[in-house]
Amino acid sequence: MENNKNIQAFNCGYNCAQAVLLGKCEELGLDVKMASKLAELFGGGLSGMRTDVCGAVSGALMLLGLHFGRTEGEDTETKESAGKLGREFIATFTEKFGAIRCGELIKIAAEKDPESVKRVGAHMPVCTEMVCYAAELAEKMIGE
């Protein structure tokens, strides 16, 4: 199960963006250290500020970009199709969790279940759920 790699990375202290991306490094032929550095500042709603996009969403969008992104600047067709997939991912994630901004997600989760936002180790349980879901959704979209 792919999520085991994501959960292992998350439980080892990597942030949400890193955990989603690192789960696919081997399959994509990405250097783990380089991927970890790339995603470092995307965790916790961008640099841990919790005011912007959830790191799990950012990591999943990186995965989708790696699979469907363009390699030539003038390739507008690929840009448009990749953008459409990204928007589809965001809409599906938002439908499930109610938002894509880190702070909003935590607030929504706290209203539903206060226990879900109490830290267990370095992370909140709701964040683990989002890492798993984002990784699964990206994998599904890649496989289609």
Side-chain angles (χ1 to χ4, degrees):
M1 179 180 181
E2 193 61 41
N3 267 335
N4 287 340
K5 291 180 183 178
N6 305 107
I7 293 167
Q8 285 174 341
F10 204 45
N11 288 341
C12 284
Y14 287 105
N15 69 41
C16 37
Q18 290 168 316
V20 172
L21 186 59
L22 294 179
K24 297 298 284 180
C25 282
E26 186 177 323
E27 182 180 319
L28 294 170
L30 288 175
D31 177 74
V32 173
K33 289 181 181 180
M34 185 65 72
S36 177
K37 287 182 176 187
L38 174 68
E40 177 67 45
L41 299 178
F42 289 86
L46 299 180
S47 296
M49 303 264 311
R50 294 205 171 102
T51 56
D52 285 300
V53 177
C54 166
V57 171
S58 295
L61 291 174
M62 285 182 214
L63 282 177
L64 292 173
L66 284 166
H67 277 273
F68 301 110
R70 62 186 167 154
T71 57
E72 302 292 330
E74 65 276 356
D75 184 358
T76 57
E77 186 177 319
T78 300
K79 177 185 177 182
E80 289 173 18
S81 64
K84 183 179 176 186
L85 279 171
R87 289 186 295 278
E88 182 182 325
F89 176 91
I90 290 167
T92 304
F93 188 94
T94 301
E95 185 178 314
K96 177 157 177 73
F97 292 106
I100 62 166
R101 290 181 177 268
C102 180
E104 291 175 38
L105 289 163
I106 292 169
K107 182 179 176 185
I108 291 167
E111 290 169 358
K112 289 180 181 178
D113 178 12
E115 292 298 312
S116 72
V117 298
K118 291 185 179 175
R119 289 195 177 275
V120 177
H123 305 293
M124 293 176 245
V126 70
C127 295
T128 302
E129 179 185 358
M130 288 182 220
V131 164
C132 291
Y133 183 78
E136 287 174 1
L137 180 56
E139 179 71 20
K140 179 182 175 192
M141 293 175 80
I142 289 165
E144 291 179 346

